[in-house]
Amino acid sequence: MGAQTSGQSSGNGSDGGQPEPAPEDVETIRLDRIGRYATGEALGGAEIVSYQAGDSRLFVVNSNAGQVEVLDLSDPTDPTQDSILEASELVASEGSVVDSVGGTNSVDVRGDIVAAAIEADPATNDGAVAFYDAGSLEFLNAVQVGPLPDKVTISPDGSHVAVANEGEPGAETDPAGSVTIIDIEDGVESVSASTATFTEFDGQEQELREEGIHIVSQAEEPATFSQSVEPEFVTFATDSQSVFVSLQENNAIATIDVDSASVTNVDGLGFKNFSLPGNELDTSDADGPSLQRWPLLGMYQPDAIDAYEVAGQTYILTANEGDAKDFEVSLLGDLDLDPAGFELSENPYVDTVEELKEPQNLGNMEVNEAAMAEFADPDEQGVYTDIYAIGTRSFSVWEPTADGLQRVFDSGNRFEQEFIEQHPDGHLNTVESGPETESIELGQVGDRTFAFVGQEKGSGIVSYDVTTPGNPRYLQLAVNRDYGVSEDDLAAAAEEDPDGDNPARAGDFAPEGVNFVPAGDSPIDNPLLCVGYEVSGTVGVFEVIPEMGA
């Protein structure tokens, strides 16, 4: 089953031995999947991936097997397993800084250093970041961090490590989320760690909500910001002096000062208006694919984020997946809407809120009722004046300013539009959060900057030219999926015969982690894009082929 790629770019694959093009000659790029590796593990078999140039190795988090698979990528058309890094077991065997370790959640490589984020057992206890030599895979050191360390990232200058400690609640305790900054400037054998928390924002919940920040708790007492925060993803600014953190459920991005390991800003992302032209979406599973404008607001709620600099100005890119805790979600058809809150006189589909709640319209849609109670129930009677969707089915570009984050671009309905036109069987999840824009990675080719955006449900990689932050240009949708094999199919097969199933039969399903390899580090002439597909447990290797201008 070959990769299906379609979009604006076209041309033939690169020829071996060709010189790297001059930067000013690159007009666009095209993705061509040239290699594939299957871990054999479904539902978590390949998640975060990180490439090490020195040995042409790709480190792949296989959370289902509780290990990091190390792939030989010297021939990217034929990735093979070079070794297995039993990160959790190694930490435990070295007299760990945590009492009992769980799985490995994330990995990053820079130079000769591997950093792995390892949760404790139970996950509500403090976890660890462990360091290894990228060549020998020798364990070097470990440092205690907060509960449930998720995304770990090494700074561009190699001096610090940041890890998002998600702090998800357990059966009996709900640890606070945090971000740990680890100083490795003097080597990983002698490190110091400081953890940034969000307690200084407690008591400011109303002011934060006015910025579109979502703060709720299942507990009976009022929610505090520090307790509701669950940091999801971290990325460094290009100067390595700041860390940007996605607070996904809260619909916000925090900024951490590296030197002081303190939170300097928490910026709300506001809401996307799905009633505006260009923001049409599919909200119903009771009819065929269609994109329509509806009186909906979406919280951006990004998962992965990345940052770059243009003309001295920093920009942040967000993959606006959306997320909600189980207690927050309801079907719109089961809720009461205030007719006075909805201007429907010019709506071409419905005249009343009761019609709005019919299955072919919005009735079957999952919405964030907790956000509706928070932002759209002034009388606290359970009758809502606005509807809040989960996520925005897009990626966005943000500019940090003195007044907070200003959105300079949003991809609107482009992802759903492309799936409907090119891969209609992959147009899924319409009543939840659409294609679930999960992962994002920036890459430089010549003098142009490109974004590679992973869609979890549709399983596509969308490429954009983001050289001009306010005017990104869509290029291509790359898909390698058999939509006839569902996640439920793989789950059932794995339960019935864990050793005999072949989850790779689904193609490449659910891109969780994306890693760009620049041409200077690539084992071939052109850059690579390596993708970990979580559900199918596969790794896709794409050649990033530059296409020249006239």
Side-chain angles (χ1 to χ4, degrees):
M1 177 167 39
Q4 307 164 49
T5 58
S6 47
Q8 296 177 347
S9 56
S10 62
N12 297 320
S14 62
D15 296 324
Q18 293 297 314
E20 188 175 346
E24 62 271 15
D25 291 338
V26 175
E27 177 68 22
T28 186
I29 52 95
R30 177 169 55 87
L31 294 181
D32 183 14
R33 188 175 61 83
I34 60 173
R36 187 171 187 249
Y37 172 81
T39 66
E41 298 279 350
L43 313 181
E47 297 189 352
I48 303 301
V49 296
S50 187
Y51 179 79
Q52 186 243 353
D55 298 292
S56 297
R57 282 172 156 177
L58 186 69
F59 289 75
V60 181
V61 173
N62 182 339
S63 65
N64 202 23
Q67 62 194 24
V68 177
E69 298 200 24
V70 185
L71 306 186
D72 179 356
L73 221 62
S74 56
D75 177 4
T77 67
D78 185 27
T80 57
Q81 188 186 96
D82 181 58
S83 186
I84 292 176
L85 179 60
E86 301 281 5
S88 301
E89 291 185 10
L90 279 170
V91 170
S93 68
E94 294 288 339
S96 173
V97 293
V98 297
D99 293 333
S100 179
V101 297
T104 302
N105 295 326
S106 178
V107 67
D108 196 23
V109 186
R110 187 168 293 276
D112 296 327
I113 299 300
V114 179
I118 300 169
E119 68 181 63
D121 184 15
T124 50
N125 289 348
D126 285 346
V129 168
F131 296 98
Y132 306 87
D133 181 273
S136 67
L137 303 184
E138 176 188 359
F139 174 83
L140 301 175
N141 198 7
V143 61
Q144 189 177 66
V145 296
L148 196 57
D150 198 342
K151 183 66 172 73
V152 63
T153 302
I154 304 174
S155 64
D157 66 5
S159 66
H160 290 81
V161 174
V163 60
N165 305 311
E166 196 164 0
E168 285 187 344
E172 298 179 356
T173 181
D174 183 5
S178 60
V179 177
T180 298
I181 305 295
I182 306 169
D183 186 342
I184 61 171
E185 196 162 12
D186 295 329
V188 299
E189 291 82 359
S190 176
V191 301
S192 60
S194 302
T195 296
T197 65
F198 295 85
T199 55
E200 64 185 283
F201 295 91
D202 289 346
Q204 302 178 37
E205 285 79 14
Q206 188 54 41
E207 293 90 335
L208 294 171
R209 288 188 177 103
E210 291 172 1
E211 297 182 24
I213 297 177
H214 179 46
I215 309 168
V216 295
S217 170
Q218 195 171 12
E220 293 182 2
E221 60 270 14
T224 60
F225 183 67
S226 65
Q227 203 66 35
S228 73
V229 162
E230 294 180 5
E232 185 76 24
F233 205 95
V234 289
T235 191
F236 280 86
T238 56
D239 63 5
S240 300
Q241 298 302 302
S242 300
V243 174
F244 302 114
V245 186
S246 62
L247 308 178
Q248 183 173 25
E249 289 86 350
N250 302 99
N251 193 37
I253 290 178
T255 304
I256 310 288
D257 176 71
V258 170
D259 287 341
S260 63
S262 61
V263 183
T264 58
N265 294 91
V266 175
D267 293 305
L269 301 180
F271 310 105
K272 179 173 178 174
N273 188 341
F274 287 109
S275 70
L276 298 179
N279 289 350
E280 295 88 351
L281 76 169
D282 195 346
T283 60
S284 175
D285 57 1
D287 55 10
S290 61
L291 299 180
Q292 301 169 343
R293 283 185 278 159
W294 290 108
L296 289 169
L297 298 174
M299 292 186 287
Y300 290 88
Q301 298 183 306
D303 188 331
I305 59 176
D306 206 349
Y308 69 135
E309 190 174 292
V310 177
Q313 174 62 52
T314 295
Y315 294 91
I316 302 169
L317 277 69
T318 59
N320 306 321
E321 178 193 23
D323 198 10
K325 301 175 177 67
D326 290 343
F327 75 87
E328 300 184 73
V329 179
S330 297
L331 291 181
L332 184 69
D334 296 334
L335 304 181
D336 292 328
L337 302 179
D338 183 354
F342 297 86
E343 173 52 59
L344 300 174
S345 61
E346 297 184 6
N347 188 287
Y349 314 114
V350 300
D351 296 318
T352 68
V353 294
E354 291 307 314
E355 291 178 333
L356 198 67
K357 292 164 57 178
E358 292 178 358
Q360 70 272 19
N361 297 320
L362 303 183
N364 289 349
M365 188 177 182
E366 291 188 358
V367 296
N368 193 318
E369 187 183 4
M372 292 166 66
E374 182 180 25
F375 296 118
D377 185 11
D379 299 325
E380 299 184 1
Q381 298 297 312
V383 179
Y384 305 115
T385 59
D386 283 303
I387 304 167
Y388 285 86
I390 300 168
T392 61
R393 310 186 182 199
S394 63
F395 92 95
S396 302
V397 183
W398 308 82
E399 178 182 347
T401 72
D403 296 323
L405 292 179
Q406 301 299 318
R407 183 174 53 79
V408 300
F409 174 79
D410 184 79
S411 61
N413 63 17
R414 192 62 187 260
F415 298 150
E416 282 192 281
Q417 176 184 321
E418 294 300 328
F419 274 108
I420 289 174
E421 293 178 359
Q422 299 182 35
H423 301 284
D425 289 341
H427 179 60
L428 308 167
N429 213 37
T430 57
V431 297
E432 297 176 36
S433 45
E436 290 193 7
T437 308
E438 170 102 4
S439 48
I440 195 163
E441 173 90 345
L442 288 161
Q444 189 80 18
V445 184
D447 63 349
R448 309 197 72 79
T449 305
F450 299 92
F452 305 96
V453 191
Q455 312 296 321
E456 181 175 2
K457 292 300 180 183
S459 301
I461 302 294
V462 182
S463 52
Y464 270 80
D465 184 336
V466 295
T467 306
T468 304
N471 189 30
R473 180 166 58 100
Y474 168 83
L475 302 176
Q476 181 184 4
L477 169 63
V479 172
N480 175 46
R481 265 283 277 126
D482 180 354
Y483 293 112
V485 182
S486 70
E487 184 172 352
D488 289 341
D489 293 336
L490 295 182
E495 183 176 355
E496 182 179 347
D497 185 4
D499 298 322
D501 186 38
N502 174 29
R505 62 192 167 90
D508 296 324
F509 190 167
E512 176 77 11
V514 183
N515 187 211
F516 177 82
V517 180
D521 293 338
S522 172
I524 60 175
D525 292 320
N526 284 329
L528 299 175
L529 188 73
C530 302
V531 184
Y533 292 89
E534 178 183 16
V535 176
S536 57
T538 55
V539 176
V541 181
F542 293 84
E543 182 177 6
V544 183
I545 302 173
E547 298 191 343
M548 304 299 105

